[in-house]
Amino acid sequence: MQELTKALKSVSSDLLDRFIDSVYKFSEQPYLNEGNFGPVNEIGDEVFIDDLNGEVPKDFPEGVYIRNGPNPLNASQTAAESIFGPTSYMYYEGHGMLHAIYFSKSNLGEWRISYKNKYVDTDTFELERKKNKIAFLPSAEGEPYATLVAFLLNTVRFGKPVKNSANTSIFEHAGRAFAATENHLPYEIDINNLRTLGPYNINGAWDQPFTSHPKKICGSGELVTMGTNIEKPHYVLGVISSDGERLLHKVDLKFEEGKLIHDIGVTAQYNIIMDYPLHFGLIRTILRKPFIQNDMGGISRIGVMPRFGDADSIIWFDVENHCSYHLFNCFEDGNEVVIRGCRTLDSVLSSASHDDKSKCSGRAFLQPDKNSEGFDPSVDGTLFSRPYEWRLNLKSGTTKEGYLTDEKVAMDFPVINEDFVGVKNNYGYAQVVDSVATSEIGLFKYNRIAKVHFDRQDKENKQLKSVEYHVLTEKTFCSGVQFVAKENGIDEDDGWIITYVHDELTNVSQVYIIDAKRFAEEPSPERLQHNSTDPKKKHTTAN
């Protein structure tokens, strides 16, 4: 590969472009252009919203609610056929687009609400926009050798195997906002106008990828992050100062292979390391294996690491194998460290072709029935995600684990009141999967929002936790759920749930504000809904 790379670098860019134009044939993947999953355009200037249904609560805080998600720039060129084999983009590879709703008050105390959307202006986004056609060859899904060649050609042409998409999350630290995706540094965003300010490397101290879900430590305000990589070091953990200017701690956790770990947890004293067998790496393609693949017969473990510890200081606990992307929260409870997250058995990320995945998706997203004829544990219900709890006893070294909610309801993308990150909390919120609608296209749709009461037993099954549901209307799906705490609130759930929703029947996007203490109620005066300024344009993406 090194010799081939050197040889190809000697070839002019023009010849390489002509080679690709002659060898590759690009086409559309229809499922990436359907409904609310399809790309939208930047609307330009900020648009003021005056079409309100209900009233914004008087004590709702001023600020901005930002949703990040993938938005393809050249949606008709997301699949490629070549002499090397087929490759394609995943839905999760579109360029990052930010959707912002601004809440401010006039001098008279009247609400002024506006909307703006904008692409995250990464270096590779600018490259594709100038070319006005696809630049990076699709490589995430497809046959192994075709994937390898695509990675190689992208690296020779652009210096990196895949584009910087910055499309997975947006997080705040030290009063600054950052758009992030796992494979590169986050990009700082000016929230006043959504202008991209540039990559954030902590003044040159951080040169690794950056998780989409770093955790801020209650009290100190420090930020714990991590980066996973196909090359050594495969897993690096960092602690960033509360002012965002210094890297206080950086340590290689000595992983022996590339693992695509999506989330990290913190407690008052510890960092929580999730380790599950979602393998990724270029060497896999040489061995004719998918670039990304989860091993359902593999081993999972969870590590408890002192805040400023090293690889040798981690206490590892073997747990039942899983592939869980998102955590509610972690905290210490006596001798135990408690981790709560949404557990799945398999990964929605896989570099197998979309056609191959689609053959199984109808069963993977549905509630598994172990008594049904033809039940296959490697397929059925493997993407049916449910709230789960791991209890790790630091004194005895033992583990207790199990599901927290009803086996009939799938949910994911958990959030909590962020004032309780790392400490014991009573409430968690999550997006509820419409399993049938999701199974039909292989992309998640969420038709309810759940409020999980960790401190309350379910009335019918005392082994489970009580759950309230906020039900959306037919063919309406939510995305980007967040909890907004009430200023000077007393209880943990003093606040609101805010989310984008999209009505597939009318093709209108809205924002809902839901009182967390009156969670299951129908629309009330304290719930905001606003229509998009142009019903033909969808102002949110579903991820």
Side-chain angles (χ1 to χ4, degrees):
M1 284 182 61
Q2 291 177 343
E3 292 301 317
L4 182 58
T5 300
K6 291 179 182 178
L8 286 172
K9 281 185 177 178
S10 66
V11 181
S12 74
S13 174
D14 182 59
L15 284 178
L16 271 177
D17 285 348
R18 277 190 270 171
F19 169 75
I20 287 170
D21 289 341
S22 64
V23 170
Y24 283 86
K25 181 180 179 181
F26 299 101
S27 61
E28 174 188 0
Q29 296 183 87
Y31 84 104
L32 292 181
N33 282 329
E34 294 178 354
N36 199 41
F37 293 101
V40 297
N41 297 323
E42 292 180 334
I43 64 169
D45 295 334
E46 183 179 0
V47 175
F48 285 93
I49 305 297
D50 55 12
D51 186 4
L52 304 182
N53 181 355
E55 297 177 356
V56 180
K58 293 180 180 180
D59 50 355
F60 191 76
E62 294 183 272
V64 55
Y65 167 49
I66 304 180
R67 170 79 176 88
N68 191 4
N71 198 78
L73 191 59
N74 299 285
S76 63
Q77 300 174 311
T78 54
E81 288 282 348
S82 73
I83 58 175
F84 310 109
T87 57
S88 60
Y89 281 123
M90 298 179 187
Y91 164 70
Y92 307 96
E93 290 186 277
H95 290 285
M97 177 173 276
L98 305 173
H99 304 262
I101 296 288
Y102 295 90
F103 295 87
S104 62
K105 287 184 176 180
S106 69
N107 294 333
L108 299 176
E110 297 174 337
W111 281 107
R112 292 167 54 87
I113 303 170
S114 61
Y115 169 82
K116 183 178 179 62
N117 71 335
K118 196 173 191 329
Y119 276 109
V120 182
D121 195 8
T122 68
D123 54 349
T124 51
F125 168 74
E126 279 300 314
L127 188 152
E128 280 208 339
R129 178 146 64 177
K130 288 178 181 177
K131 279 181 171 288
N132 199 28
K133 66 177 183 178
I134 193 169
F136 281 78
L137 294 172
S139 55
E141 294 183 338
E143 295 181 359
Y145 280 178
T147 294
L148 177 62
V149 172
F151 280 138
L152 181 61
L153 288 172
N154 287 340
T155 301
V156 170
R157 297 171 75 205
F158 309 118
K160 58 188 69 178
V162 294
K163 59 181 178 286
N164 294 352
S165 53
N167 67 9
T168 306
S169 71
I170 186 160
F171 66 91
E172 177 274 334
H173 184 54
R176 299 155 68 184
F178 305 91
T181 290
E182 321 290 71
N183 67 315
H184 54 81
L185 294 171
Y187 280 74
E188 184 173 359
I189 304 298
D190 183 340
I191 63 170
N192 296 306
N193 51 28
L194 301 188
R195 187 168 62 90
T196 302
L197 302 179
Y200 174 60
N201 60 14
I202 318 170
N203 292 316
W206 187 265
D207 58 356
Q208 298 293 314
F210 202 100
T211 179
S212 298
H213 302 292
K215 296 297 188 298
K216 188 174 294 189
I217 304 165
C218 287
S220 72
E222 295 162 350
L223 191 73
V224 177
T225 187
M226 57 94 171
T228 59
N229 207 330
I230 60 174
E231 301 173 348
K232 285 190 174 182
H234 292 301
Y235 191 124
V236 177
L237 181 142
V239 181
I240 304 170
S241 64
S242 60
D243 62 6
E245 298 295 330
R246 294 167 294 128
L247 186 63
L248 304 178
H249 190 55
K250 182 180 180 182
V251 59
D252 176 7
L253 298 193
K254 308 294 184 184
F255 275 42
E256 293 299 319
E257 59 181 326
K259 302 279 191 69
L260 195 57
I261 311 300
H262 187 64
D263 206 347
I264 189 170
V266 296
T267 71
Q269 301 181 73
Y270 302 108
N271 308 315
I272 307 303
I273 314 301
M274 307 299 290
D275 181 11
Y276 42 78
L278 181 56
H279 306 280
F280 76 130
L282 282 179
I283 192 67
R284 297 176 54 80
T285 61
I286 298 174
L287 300 174
R288 301 191 68 85
K289 297 180 180 180
F291 172 66
I292 305 171
Q293 187 176 38
N294 181 55
D295 181 3
M296 289 187 62
I299 297 174
S300 293
R301 58 182 186 163
I302 300 177
V304 180
M305 170 188 175
R307 179 78 69 238
F308 294 93
D310 57 18
D312 295 332
S313 70
I314 302 175
I315 303 173
W316 289 106
F317 293 81
D318 290 336
V319 297
E320 292 186 23
N321 194 27
H322 65 101
C323 187
S324 304
Y325 286 102
H326 300 117
L327 300 177
F328 278 100
N329 197 22
C330 309
F331 58 90
E332 299 157 36
D333 186 12
N335 293 324
E336 293 182 323
V337 171
V338 181
I339 298 103
R340 291 170 178 159
C342 289
R343 182 177 185 263
T344 56
L345 300 179
D346 203 0
S347 170
V348 71
L349 291 180
S350 169
S351 53
S353 71
H354 181 74
D355 288 341
D356 290 339
K357 291 192 295 185
S358 296
K359 295 175 183 177
C360 301
S361 66
R363 295 162 59 182
F365 292 106
L366 295 174
Q367 178 192 355
D369 181 1
K370 297 181 180 179
N371 298 318
S372 65
E373 184 178 351
F375 172 76
D376 183 349
S378 68
V379 174
D380 292 294
T382 54
L383 296 176
F384 195 85
S385 176
R386 291 167 55 199
Y388 197 84
E389 181 178 271
W390 296 268
R391 285 186 168 267
L392 315 179
N393 194 302
L394 299 178
K395 187 175 182 179
S396 66
T398 57
T399 302
K400 296 178 182 178
E401 56 183 294
Y403 286 107
L404 297 175
T405 59
D406 193 286
E407 63 183 6
K408 297 179 182 179
V409 180
M411 60 182 82
D412 209 329
F413 288 90
V415 297
I416 66 169
N417 182 333
E418 292 188 354
D419 291 339
F420 289 79
V421 171
V423 298
K424 188 173 182 178
N425 67 306
N426 293 327
Y427 307 103
Y429 308 87
Q431 299 170 194
V432 177
V433 182
D434 184 330
S435 298
V436 174
T438 296
S439 68
E440 292 173 350
I441 63 169
L443 292 173
F444 284 104
K445 291 186 175 184
Y446 304 92
N447 63 348
R448 287 184 286 172
I449 307 168
K451 179 181 181 180
V452 183
H453 294 254
F454 296 120
D455 62 340
R456 186 189 306 172
Q457 294 176 328
D458 181 79
K459 292 181 180 179
E460 297 181 2
N461 186 338
K462 303 300 183 183
Q463 302 301 314
L464 302 178
K465 303 299 182 183
S466 175
V467 183
E468 288 183 88
Y469 296 102
H470 187 90
V471 181
L472 304 178
T473 57
E474 183 183 2
K475 294 292 184 179
T476 299
F477 302 98
C478 68
S479 181
V481 167
Q482 288 294 317
F483 181 86
V484 179
K486 182 179 293 188
E487 294 179 357
N488 303 315
I490 298 174
D491 299 326
E492 180 189 333
D493 61 345
D494 273 340
W496 303 268
I497 289 296
I498 187 169
T499 183
Y500 281 101
V501 301
H502 178 253
D503 187 333
E504 291 190 344
L505 296 177
T506 61
N507 196 27
V508 170
S509 293
Q510 301 176 310
V511 165
Y512 284 7
I513 296 175
I514 303 164
D515 190 326
K517 282 187 171 293
R518 297 155 51 192
F519 191 73
E521 291 184 13
E522 293 296 316
S524 69
E526 289 193 355
R527 174 168 157 184
L528 161 72
Q529 304 178 44
H530 74 75
N531 295 333
S532 59
T533 56
D534 181 352
K536 296 179 181 179
K537 293 183 179 180
K538 301 172 293 297
H539 288 163
T540 180
T541 55
N543 175 16

